[in-house]
Amino acid sequence: MAEVTRERWTSRAPFIFAAIGSAIGLGNVWRFPYITYEYGGGTFLIPYVIGLLIMGIPWMIMEFGMGRYFQKGAPGAFESIGKKWEWLGWWPVWVAFLIVTYYTVIIAWSLRYAISSATVEWGMGQAGAEGAGDFFFGTVLQLSDGPTVLGPPVWFIFGLLAFVWLVIFLIMFRGARVIGKVSVGLVILPWLLLIVLFIRGITLPGAVDGLNFYLAPDFAVLGNVEVWFAAFSQIAFTLSLGMAGMIAYGSFIAKKADVNNSAIITSFSDAATAFFAGFAVFSTVGFIMQALNIPIGEVSAAGLGLAFVSYPVAISMMPGANALVGVLFFLCLFFLGTTSAYFLAYGGVAVPLMDKFGWSRIKATLIVTIACFLVGILFTTQGGLYWLDIVDRAMAFYALLITGALACLVIGWFFGPGKLREHNNETSDIRIGAWWDWFIRLIVPAGLIFVVVVGGFMKDVPEQYEGYQVGALGGSHVIWLILGVTLIFSILMSLIKTKSAGGGE
Ligand code: PHE
């Protein structure tokens, strides 16, 4: 039986660090601080923490618990519930697969910037500040005019992408034991770097103004539905749930080990990292405002713009140690991203393939590495950024939330959450009560569906996403297409019959 030979985390700490590593990522640095600023400053922490408590933690307990109960990754777990549900285990596998193909390209950009920072290649002082945008879109990405103009790959990024995959492969082909050990280092290191960047940030002139923007409370926002939707969608994204990976990581938990408390520790560590990163980011934003004498609206403080344009602007303008701060910031992104990337590639994709087809670890990880790299080449082309944006919306927003909601409903109404809860409680530090069942049956799926409808369909149905045009299709059409195709592929995967499927040999 597969259970006898299933790999295990060597002990509790490596598991928790691997889980934290998967959760903390680029989203903690460039998404959370900005959303907090945008949606009410300090007040935003209220809906955020509520989302963490009523959705994030119950959901993570479910995913860890499913992995440990069924001793399988997502498809095997759903297959054990009923053959007719196996497709629902494969859908997040496709989601994880597509996400990691572009997530690794962003990691490659980070490396590019770590290298370019050594000489502050975009220029020092005022000239550098003005040239940072052109450097990113022109020199680094060589961005084309639209998604249908791909052009050749940008070879520098292509080469770095190959390197990123080599690193990921070398870690994941040795499985959970090595992933656990490496994750301890790759989580602590960016924490240390964030402390350095925090100290650098708050000692810059103008820092306090930036922090005031970040945290100044505005209680009126609590009545605004957008704020709640923003908080809940960030919770889903930041904890790396709905992605198959946490189920696989849960399946490596030792028979007698805690589940519930590990989910709580992971969730709070992720939130704390995001909150702390906000200080490093917004103190720097305040500095940019003062150095360039511009209002906050003109500093792009979110997403790609923050990391690859605004932060470089700040580096150009800093009073000293410019190159060093730049290298540390981008290495920090590299480490944060890498732990999330091997989580997706291994827990999200390779483990399900090993479970289903009985492949060896080396075979599964090699195939996953090559397939992800090949698909990822699309995002290294001159039109790659547009595709990255579209695929990200389809997968990291829609598919993640929809598969998450469906998973909760199937566990909640067909399998029975009480079984998982009791199984978890037997070995956990903290016992959870029957109230949890109703979170899985109702509250978590309701929250996720709310986000999909209010934050998604109500925006992307009336208007084409970002106004993109791909031949006759608009941006939203392409999104529906990607969702449909991945769903069909998931159903097909579930129809493949194997000797090792279902129980494992
Ligand atoms: N949680 C990661 C972050 O905050 C993003 C991520 C999402 C990573 C899904 C893997 C899977 O950046």
Side-chain angles (χ1 to χ4, degrees), residues 459-483:
K459 297 192 169 133
D460 293 338
V461 171
E463 272 172 57
Q464 291 301 318
Y465 180 64
E466 297 284 330
Y468 290 130
Q469 200 64 41
V470 184
L473 301 178
S476 304
H477 297 139
V478 179
I479 291 174
W480 314 143
L481 198 66
I482 297 172
L483 286 172

Side-chain angles (χ1 to χ4, degrees), residues 22-28 103 237-240 243 340 343-344:
S22 73
I24 61 177
L26 306 171
N28 298 59
Y103 203 81
F237 179 79
T238 191
L239 295 179
S240 299
M243 208 85 49
S340 298
F343 157 82
L344 287 167

Side-chain angles (χ1 to χ4, degrees), residues 377-393:
I377 293 172
L378 169 68
F379 306 109
T380 69
T381 63
Q382 299 176 354
L385 180 63
Y386 304 111
W387 286 99
L388 193 155
D389 189 16
I390 294 172
V391 176
D392 179 60
R393 180 74 171 170

